[in-house]
């Protein structure tokens, strides 16, 4: 037995060390939690600010007009050629009989969206029986009136500082007082292509363009990337040539994406004369960019399969191809899919390489195939952000929400497929 | 040190050398291995016994920078000649590894994999029979017959190793190579596998690498002692363990080196 004082001093030093160690561990934990919480807070702030500023874009104010579908404007023989805007304007004039004079009338028409007659046109063409009758219809108001009604324009400002004139306010108030104004879900945001008018501008063209582009990217880069990775990792001899290829692939992953755009412009458009602004070329360019991002994680997935599995298969007389196809590839599949999806998600958010091949363009039509002119979501968001109309602010955020949703769906798909492949074992 | 009783020779190794890059791992090994016997390869770590074992089914081929010289003949045919297909060879020479390495598939699929890729079963019934027979021979059938669809990796270590043995014998090889098959197992599982080897040797030629002197003494008919890439001594196990001719062998067996 050691004597008492000795034991005590030993205990004190020991306790001090113990306390110090516990403190260090608590500190380490605290740093980690602080880092996570900071990141989480930034993310929450970012997402909530985007979602909050996008909310106005998801609804739009309409006014109910009583429209006399008179044969003066539309003939029953050819309803397609009718002057529907005239019909709507006539109904609006009826609403405000006190407005007279050409200039005043023209100012009055401006409280309606230029797409105000679209709904009417669709309905009358579908049901020609409506010609000659009177119907009540909600037509969209202009973007400025809509913003004012949403409270995004300060009515108390002097008229010169406001985009809505005093007269507009009077007319809008009259419609409000007659209970003719309603707020509806903005279907146009999801059904229309791009437009110069914010209330008519939709994300559909860019969304479909993005999907076409990603489809081409996937079809090109997935098989090429996986086969290249299999060859390099499993088949190729380890020599200087393969080492050089490996270094180059790693370097390609770090090449600025705009360089791929220049390459695409030079090769696909100027040399092969493929169409400009087309998802086909965009997909090729993004596939080039995505290839190293698929090859590298795929090789890592292959390298992480324990050699004992290969030996076991070789030991019972499996050929090299059988070892790869029956054992290594299925085991590496979750890793390959994760790499591919992350690569695709990056491609989906990429704008720079597409600038060079003309996909940053004002395109109204929804692209029907991979050679049609198209733009992509991030390019659309950037173009909307550049537009001067106030209503595009919310549209821009709404575009970001759609892009983020697309990425979420892609990532969820990745998780789903990974789970499915893992379950098999 | 010529072997005097070399009738019934199954595997004949002559002047086998192995290089890993510049390093020489085996310096000209001459060794005959008899059919229906268990031959134990013993020696300290890095002595080349596993390397020699892997020459018999050409598993060294898959290691980058590995070169094998000399000849290894099975039934008088040199397996390093161009006429031999390495895949077919490995179907004739099964292998069980140090660490149990079942495929992450069902128990059934583990055993059925070899017969399937070699086209040895034409229909499901034949395959079922092969799987059952192999599992029975490996002494695992009673334990797993009700859960053949369970994953091979869900078994205990000893069961996994017997599953690997069943997988190796399912393709009906002539020779089974075992590379320290019991080093990851407890004594009870080891005893089960040792009994199994005694049983299997009636139909197969077995070559086993082991670090356990007692195991070599218990299960083998012949023993070969390797040291630093040389075959120092070989012969009847009893003779090696009771009257070793070489001092090195004696030192190793008696625990003075190793």
């Amino acid at each position: 037995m050691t004597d008492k004082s000795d034991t005590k001093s030993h205990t004190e030093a020991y306790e001090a060390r113990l306390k110090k160690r516990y403190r260090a561990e608590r500190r380490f934990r605290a740093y980690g939690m602080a880092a996570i919480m900071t990141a989480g807070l930034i993310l929450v702030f970012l997402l909530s600010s985007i979602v909050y500023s996008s909310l106005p874009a998801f609804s739009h104010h309409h006014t109910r007009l009583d429209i006399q579908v008179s044969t003066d404007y539309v003939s029953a023989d050819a309803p397609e050629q009718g002057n529907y805007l005239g019909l709507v304007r006539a109904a609006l004039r009826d609403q405000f009989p006190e407005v007279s004079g050409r200039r005043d009338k023209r100012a009055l028409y401006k409280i309606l969206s230029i797409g105000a007659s679209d709904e009417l046109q669709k309905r009358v063409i579908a049901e020609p029986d409506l010609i000659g009758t009177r119907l009540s219809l909600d037509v969209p108001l202009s973007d400025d009136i809509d913003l004012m009604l949403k409270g995004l324009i300060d009515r108390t400002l002097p008229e010169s500082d406001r985009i809505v004139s005093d007269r507009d306010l009077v007319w809008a108030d009259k419609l409000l007082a007659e209970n003719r104004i309603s707020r509806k879900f903005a279907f146009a945001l999801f059904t229309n292509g791009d437009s110069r008018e914010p209330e008519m501008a939709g994300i559909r063209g860019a969304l479909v363009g993005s999907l076409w582009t990603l489809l081409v990217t996937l079809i090109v880069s997935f098989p090429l990337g996986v086969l290249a990775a299999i060859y390099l990792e499993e088949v190729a001899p380890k020599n200087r040539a393969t080492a050089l290829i490996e270094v180059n692939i790693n370097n390609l992953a770090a090449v600025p994406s705009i360089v791929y755009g220049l390459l695409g412009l030079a090769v696909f458009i100027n040399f092969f004369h493929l169409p400009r602004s087309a998802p086909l070329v965009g997909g090729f360019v993004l596939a080039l960019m995505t290839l190293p991002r698929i090859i590298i994680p795929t090789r890592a997935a292959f390298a992480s399969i324990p050699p004992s599995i290969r030996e076991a298969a070789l030991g019972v007389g499996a050929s090299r191809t059988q070892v790869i196809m029956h054992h290594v590839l299925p085991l590496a599949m979750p890793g390959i899919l994760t790499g591919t999806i992350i690569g695709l998600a990056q491609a989906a958010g990429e704008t720079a390489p597409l600038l060079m091949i003309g996909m940053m363009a004002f395109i109204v039509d929804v692209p029907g195939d991979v050679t049609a002119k198209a733009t992509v979501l991030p390019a659309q968001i950037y173009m909307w952000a550049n537009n001067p109309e106030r209503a595009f602010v919310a549209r821009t955020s709404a575009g970001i929400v759609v892009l983020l949703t697309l990425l979420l769906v892609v990532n969820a798909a990745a998780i789903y497929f990974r789970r499915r492949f893992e379950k098999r074992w | 040190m010529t072997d005097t009783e070399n009738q019934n020779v199954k595997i004949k190794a002559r002047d086998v050398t192995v290089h890993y890059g510049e390093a020489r791992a085996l310096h000209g090994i001459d060794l005959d291995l008899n059919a229906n016997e268990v031959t134990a390869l013993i020696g300290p770590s890095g002595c080349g016994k596993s390397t020699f074992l892997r020459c018999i089914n050409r598993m060294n081929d898959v290691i980058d920078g590995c070169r094998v010289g000399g000849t290894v003949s099975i039934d008088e045919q040199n397996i390093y000649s161009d006429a031999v297909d390495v895949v077919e060879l490995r179907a004739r020479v099964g292998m069980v590894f140090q660490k149990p390495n079942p495929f992450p598939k069902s128990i059934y699929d583990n055993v059925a994999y070899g017969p399937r890729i070699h086209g040895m079963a034409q229909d499901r019934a034949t395959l079922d029979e092969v799987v059952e027979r192999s599992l029975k021979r490996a002494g695992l059938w009673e334990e797993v017959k009700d859960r053949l669809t369970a994953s091979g990796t869900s078994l205990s270590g000893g069961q996994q190793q017997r599953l690997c043995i069943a997988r190796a014998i399912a393709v009906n090889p002539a020779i089974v190579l075992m590379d320290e098959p019991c080093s990851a197992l407890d004594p009870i599982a080891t005893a089960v596998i040792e009994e199994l080897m005694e049983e299997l040797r009636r139909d197969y030629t077995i070559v086993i690498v082991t670090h356990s002197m007692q195991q070599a003494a218990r299960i083998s008919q012949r023993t070969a002692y390797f040291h630093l890439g040389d075959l120092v001594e070989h012969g009847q196990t009893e003779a090696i363990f009771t009257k070793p001719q070489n001092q090195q062998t004696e030192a190793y067996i008696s625990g003075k080196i190793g």
Side-chain angles (χ1 to χ4, degrees), chain A residues 334 416-425, chain B residues 104 151:
Chain A
Y416 171 76
F417 282 119
R418 200 164 53 205
R419 285 267 167 85
R420 252 195 69 152
F421 275 99
E422 275 173 350
K423 256 186 204 160
R424 256 196 219 166
W425 304 102
Chain B
S151 171

Side-chain angles (χ1 to χ4, degrees), chain A residues 196-348:
Chain A
R196 292 285 179 220
E197 302 298 322
E199 76 277 11
M200 302 301 296
I203 199 78
R204 182 149 171 213
L207 181 62
V208 173
S210 267
L211 292 177
W212 280 126
T213 308
L214 285 183
L215 183 71
V216 174
T217 305
L218 179 68
I219 290 172
V220 174
S221 63
F222 183 69
L224 278 184
V226 172
L227 286 175
I230 291 179
Y231 180 76
L232 282 174
E233 193 63 35
E234 300 284 327
V235 186
K238 303 271 176 284
N239 56 26
R240 273 163 171 251
T242 47
L244 189 73
I245 291 173
E246 194 177 333
V247 169
N248 275 303
I249 288 174
N250 290 339
N251 284 340
L252 276 180
V255 167
S257 56
I258 191 128
V259 176
Y260 289 101
L262 278 168
L263 182 81
L265 178 68
V267 175
F268 298 126
I269 294 179
N270 291 344
F271 187 76
F272 286 110
H273 299 292
L274 291 174
R276 206 172 269 271
S277 306
L280 183 69
V281 177
F284 284 165
V285 169
L286 291 181
L288 288 180
M289 198 194 79
T290 310
L291 262 180
R293 289 166 195 183
I294 292 180
I295 293 174
I296 292 169
T298 301
R299 291 192 62 180
F302 273 94
S304 71
I305 306 301
S308 62
I309 295 295
R310 294 164 213 264
E311 287 198 323
L314 288 170
V316 291
S319 69
R320 187 144 66 176
T321 312
Q322 284 169 334
V323 173
I324 294 169
M325 298 311 287
H326 295 168
H327 301 283
V328 184
L329 188 60
L331 284 175
M333 214 55 192
I336 296 174
L337 286 179
T338 309
T340 305
I341 302 267
I342 289 173
L344 275 188
Q346 274 179 330

Side-chain angles (χ1 to χ4, degrees), chain A residues 237-238 308-320 322-323 326-327 331 424-425, chain B residues 54 59 62 64 87 90-91 93-95 97 101-105 113 117-118 167-168 171:
Chain A
K238 303 271 176 284
S308 62
I309 295 295
R310 294 164 213 264
E311 287 198 323
L314 288 170
V316 291
S319 69
R320 187 144 66 176
Q322 284 169 334
V323 173
H326 295 168
H327 301 283
L331 284 175
R424 256 196 219 166
W425 304 102
Chain B
R54 293 167 70 97
M59 279 298 274
V62 296
D64 276 320
V87 165
R90 291 195 192 124
V93 186
M95 189 157 186
F97 297 86
N101 56 355
F103 299 131
K105 298 178 188 253
Y113 182 69
I117 59 172
H118 295 297
R167 182 176 65 192
V171 290

Side-chain angles (χ1 to χ4, degrees), chain B residues 42-249:
Chain B
I42 59 170
S45 294
C47 68
K49 55 195 190 301
S50 286
T51 302
F52 178 74
L53 187 78
R54 293 167 70 97
C55 287
I56 303 173
N57 68 345
R58 290 181 59 175
M59 279 298 274
N60 285 326
D61 290 15
V62 296
I63 299 172
D64 276 320
C66 177
R67 282 172 294 129
V68 179
T71 61
V72 177
S73 305
I74 294 175
D75 297 332
E76 300 298 324
Q77 189 196 19
N78 180 14
I79 60 168
Y80 283 90
S81 81
D82 291 338
V84 171
D85 174 55
V86 66
V87 165
E88 193 269 337
L89 168 73
R90 291 195 192 124
R92 278 194 292 145
V93 186
M95 189 157 186
V96 177
F97 297 86
Q98 181 174 1
K99 221 180 118 224
N101 56 355
F103 299 131
K105 298 178 188 253
S106 72
I107 293 169
Y108 184 96
D109 287 337
N110 261 284
V111 183
Y113 182 69
R116 269 190 188 133
I117 59 172
H118 295 297
M120 289 165 69
Q122 301 312 317
D123 52 59
R124 182 81 191 192
T126 326
L127 197 60
D128 286 348
E129 208 181 292
V130 169
V131 170
E132 185 177 338
R133 193 173 59 228
S134 307
L135 284 170
K136 273 183 176 156
R137 296 222 60 178
L140 192 60
W141 177 253
E142 287 304 318
E143 290 158 66
V144 300
K145 64 181 177 189
D146 299 322
R147 47 176 179 140
L148 289 174
T149 53
S151 171
T153 50
S154 67
L155 298 173
S156 74
Q159 289 174 326
Q160 286 189 13
Q161 198 59 300
R162 276 179 285 154
L163 178 62
C164 292
I165 294 172
R167 182 176 65 192
I169 59 181
V171 290
N172 206 17
I175 299 163
V176 178
L177 309 176
M178 297 187 172
D179 192 354
E180 297 180 47
C182 302
S183 67
L185 305 182
D186 67 41
I188 296 166
T190 303
V192 173
I193 294 201
E194 286 179 5
E195 268 173 48
L196 181 58
M197 277 187 258
E198 179 60 28
E199 156 88 19
L200 291 175
R201 109 180 142 88
R202 279 188 234 148
D203 298 309
Y204 307 99
T205 302
I206 296 176
V207 188
I208 177 173
V209 165
T210 179
H211 268 137
S212 155
M213 295 307 111
Q214 292 86 344
Q215 184 171 57
R218 276 196 302 267
I219 59 169
S220 68
Q221 281 71 53
R222 269 160 199 281
T223 299
Y225 173 65
F226 284 72
H227 188 79
L228 296 176
D230 282 312
L231 175 61
V232 176
E233 187 171 349
H234 68 102
Q236 299 254 355
T237 299
E238 224 180 275
I240 294 267
F241 276 87
T242 51
K243 317 187 276 286
Q245 305 292 308
N246 190 293
Q247 258 192 320
Q248 273 182 332
T249 318

